[in-house]
Amino acid sequence: MTTPEQSTPEPAAPETSAAGLPDRPKLRLATVWLAGCSGCHMSFLDLDEFLFDLAAVADVVFSPVGIDTKTYPENVDVCLVEGAVANVDNLELARIVRQRTRLVISFGDCAVTANVPGLRNLCASPNGSSQQAVLERGYLELADTGAQLPFAPGIVPELLPRVLPLHEVIAVDLFLPGCPPSAQRIKEAIAPLLAGERPVMEGAEMIRFG
Amino acid sequence: MTATSPARPAASKPSPSAEEIANRKIAQVIRRHGAQPDALIEVLHQVQEIHGYLPKQALDQVARQLRMPLSRVYGVASFYHLFTLEPPTPHRCAVCLGTACFVKGGADVAARLEQRLGVKLDDAAGNGTWAVQHVSCLGACGQAPVLVVDGVLLTKLPIDQPEALDAVFESAGMPSAGAVPA
Amino acid sequence: MSVITLSVNGKDVAIPEGGSLLEATRAAGVEIPLLCHLDGLEPVGACRLCLVEVEGSNRLMPACTTAASEGMAIHTHTHQLLDYRRMAVELFFAEGNHICAFCVANGNCELQNVAVQVGMDHSRFPYQYPQRVVDASHPLFAIDHNRCILCTRCVRVCDEIEGAHVWDVGSRGSHCHIVAGLDQPWGEVDACTNCGKCVDVCPTGAIFHKEDTTAEKLRHSDRPALLKAARDEHVWRNQ
Amino acid sequence: MSSSAQTKPARQLRCCGASGCRSAGSEELQAALEAARDAAGHTAQELAIKPVGCLRLCGRGPLVACDGPGGTTLYGAVPPTEAGALIEATRNYDHASDTLQASRLDPQLPFFALQSSVVLEGCGQVDPESIDDAIAFGTYSQLRRCLHELTPEEVREQVKRSGLRGRGGGGYPTGLKWDTVALQPPGPRYVVCNADEGDPGAFMDRSVLESDPHRLLEGLAIAAYAVGADRGYVYVRAEYPLAVERLRKALQQARRAGLLGSGIDGTSFALTIEVRVGAGAYVCGEETALLQSIQGQRGMPRPRPPYPAQSGLWGAPTLINNVETFAAVPVILREGGDWYASMGTAGSKGTKVFALSGAVTNTGLVEVPMGTTLRSVVEVIGGGVPDGTPIKAVQTGGPSGGCIPAELLDTPVDYESLLELGSMMGSGGMVVMGETTSMPEVARHFMRFSVNESCGKCVPCRAGTVQLAQLLERFVERRASPADMAKLDALCRMVKATSLCGLGQSAPNPVLSTLRYFRHEYEAACRQPALCDRP
């Protein structure tokens, strides 16, 4: 079965062909943090010296841990997306990432399976939505004082009815599971990409969940 | 034969309680089947006839007297759709959602019943008085769509004529929408 | 003892008559994923991961329950089988609530390992988030139904090896769940001997020792075979 | 076809008392007829009012057949108020009231004229609650003949010659199955009648059980003799209370008449038959699950081989056939295997009973030779869609079968042709669908059925059907994406290839067949590659 989500299998064969990429000196790399604990990003930082190697061949153009840019740029080559899609902001950013990125990597178990953020789907009401139930549980039932539902339109993003893994929202090109994926695993996945090759995602070292 | 109910009263005691009578009946049923484990389904049918459902203490009695593991008895009792482990509501409907009934609007019958009785399909608790469940096929396909209300088969339901359909429901004794369950 | 010969992925092997296709694959040194099967317990052919192609048959056969016969030619890793196995593992993940990150069996879980074995890096099928419960009423052990894959190893080991038959399967279809006694809290079931065999054989973190926390569960899935050999053949290898 | 010189009353009214007509008020009608007869001063000798089984045209119940000197007339949907008029009409049809005239059904209607009664020959003729009536009709004569004149091998030879194939769905050659059981090493054997007719849209077996139970018992007894069994079970679904009641009664009568029990008909042949009532589980129609259920267990199938013919009830060789298969046996022995084989097609011999329902004018039971085209069954016999609009598809084979589109209606009905079309014979339910029926909805309907009926043992069926039903939901609600289409295809193939039993293996068939013939309906429900907007 061809995986429908994997619409752009090779980084070298982009559909949104950014003209002249092969000549571009540096890979444009982004990392995005959706509904996750940032553990995957911490693990990314654990790459230690490899980060210097990375900096030599790639520009970090968007990242909560690497650059201050607040707007996701155009023509990104590779993006590591941490976290599940839990609210409207996550959803909007995921869609932008897909539009502006050639190779999207589902980065860590939350992005791949919805993982811990997805646990709120367990308190779904009969219509399948856990949006209200999770707010009531968190802000009313468990409140010690001043119980009230958050209400700040335009400031606090609205929750989606269900928390979804990234590939149920946008097409994903590579899955890098792990909670978090170890620095070694991240390195094994990224290094081939820098050389224009697709990493081999096989074996417990590369794809075991958890 | 170890068909001794723990609740069996001494002979001198006054009239036995309903529970004791039921226990004795179950013990009789089991004896009639020779206390053979392969008769479990037959026994459960008859226990359900006695109690209207399969209460846990009756399952316990069946398991002990058939000398079977409790979990196996529960496994069988919970496997089959016609066995019910909770006390049933006083009134029950079964909407047929077989293929012929499906083609002829069986799902609409179910939806109208849900609305009328304020219940959810296949929620055994219903509204406390009425519950609506689906059945896969009653083999009455020639008369589709069909419905069973308290054991009575109603056929050729006029799904295209809401008033006529309501009249059928009315005459089957179903309270109309918003009516407080008795 | 008479011997039969057959071929596994083109390699000829000889196994004792009456052996299963699984034994044949082992004789050929071929590893196929297994979840419900466990040596020492009656095979049930439920997880469908060990399905193999048999030349001359248009049906896939479970290696664990199918008797090998003379001259059979089987294939264990065709594209089709790899494809189906991966889908089956995705279905397992999607039907339960498997959050490896905080599971007692993380790093020592057969489901996790099988996912690696079939190359499953994500599930194409949406997770179902079924409502399931945790029963910690037993003094020593607990069962977390969220992690149960209904392999029925616990049911079988308790029935076949221990003889207590505490466990069985209740309900049906996607509502199936393992029950203790009359679907009672495990701790209230008198039949339980506290032997812990169900903990030993559980392939995931569903049944575990209470003192174990995340990633601390150890497996002893070889025990049923050892016990069975001791009982049936009076051979003790469990030193 | 009575072989006895029974003295028949000059006139008789046969009232259908099978479930369909019962629900339409046949009991009230019969009581009213008896009262009207008494009021008119006729005796039962002059005018018999006989309860019988299915008169076929179930959609027009309650049905009454009137046998008079001038032949037989059939009335449908007769209100009890017309009882007097009906009694009068038995003597002189010209006196029939307008209402009664309107209920008269023309026996020349293709619905009746094109049927061949073989399995159903006693349905509507005999009183299902009377063994005397059954015996007078010739029932049990073939059992007696077998016991006295034929060896088990000779019986099996006739069944093999007949080319009869299992009528429960798979179409396995019956004679071969009987041989397999008979030729197992010595030891106990069982015969089992599968009367767990669970396919929605199928009610053939129900009608036989309710209309002519002694024929089934005769067939079962002959089978037991032929394979050397001395114990048998009839496993009936609990949803058929009238069938259970009549079958139990028939068993009791047969025991009393010495046709079951020990030393049957003065021979050394002994046979005990028990009724086992199901408890609501479609999967118990699968033979290994059925055996589990007879043994008081959860109805969970197990992998085959070993087949039940080798290892069945309590590990003993067990012959399992369904009701229609056993009911065909007495006729085959009476008329000979070659006679039976002269009907039908090269690979599918004899006749087949179909239960016709859905969007069709004449709903009821239809028995036709194998090889009759679907068109003649649904359009000529069935009379097409009631409002005259075209037929869109015919569903055969229940949740294991498929939808055959109108343009293929000229296909002859036999095992192979239906399989080629991606459907199957199944037990014989035939549901006609008109133009308004949406095919993704049909597929979802069947998939929900499979979700509900999955036993839960193997993962493709337990979890795969749930995912399939959700995918189909997206098509029905028109929020599917092209990727969903690919997933649907792939998962259907996986569930079909890897499920443990027939239920799971065939659960994707309704999807696959509607995808094959009505793909445009799925495509129309697809949006462009999905962005998230699901609830």
Side-chain angles (χ1 to χ4, degrees), chain B residues 32-75:
Chain B
R32 210 179 308 133
H33 286 93
Q36 289 299 313
D38 65 76
L40 177 59
I41 292 171
E42 296 290 310
V43 169
L44 292 179
H45 270 302
Q46 289 174 46
V47 172
Q48 184 152 298
E49 228 160 80
I50 292 167
H51 283 288
Y53 72 110
L54 298 175
K56 283 214 171 157
Q57 83 276 3
L59 292 180
D60 189 278
Q61 183 187 354
V62 168
R64 284 172 207 286
Q65 293 177 359
L66 289 176
R67 296 182 219 177
M68 292 174 73
L70 292 173
S71 57
R72 176 172 290 173
V73 171
Y74 182 85

Side-chain angles (χ1 to χ4, degrees), chain A residues 1 3-6 112-116 118-119 121-123 162-163 167-168 175 177 179 203-204 207-210, chain C residues 83 87 93 97 99-102 106-108 112-113 115-116 119-131 146:
Chain A
M1 167 170 171
T3 311
E5 295 84 14
Q6 293 175 339
V112 176
T113 73
N115 206 31
V116 175
L119 285 173
N121 295 345
L122 282 169
C123 53
R162 284 169 76 87
V163 183
H167 65 269
E168 286 188 34
F175 294 87
C179 186
I207 60 168
R208 186 157 77 190
F209 295 113
Chain C
D83 199 23
M87 272 195 253
F93 271 89
N97 297 311
I99 317 292
C100 300
F102 55 75
N106 190 11
N108 195 8
Q112 219 177 17
N113 294 347
V116 170
M120 180 212 150
D121 54 10
H122 76 290
S123 170
R124 287 160 285 187
F125 308 118
Y127 283 34
Q128 299 295 305
Y129 296 100
Q131 293 291 322
N146 291 291

Side-chain angles (χ1 to χ4, degrees), chain A residues 3-17:
Chain A
T3 311
E5 295 84 14
Q6 293 175 339
S7 62
T8 48
E10 298 300 329
E15 49 177 315
T16 53
S17 157

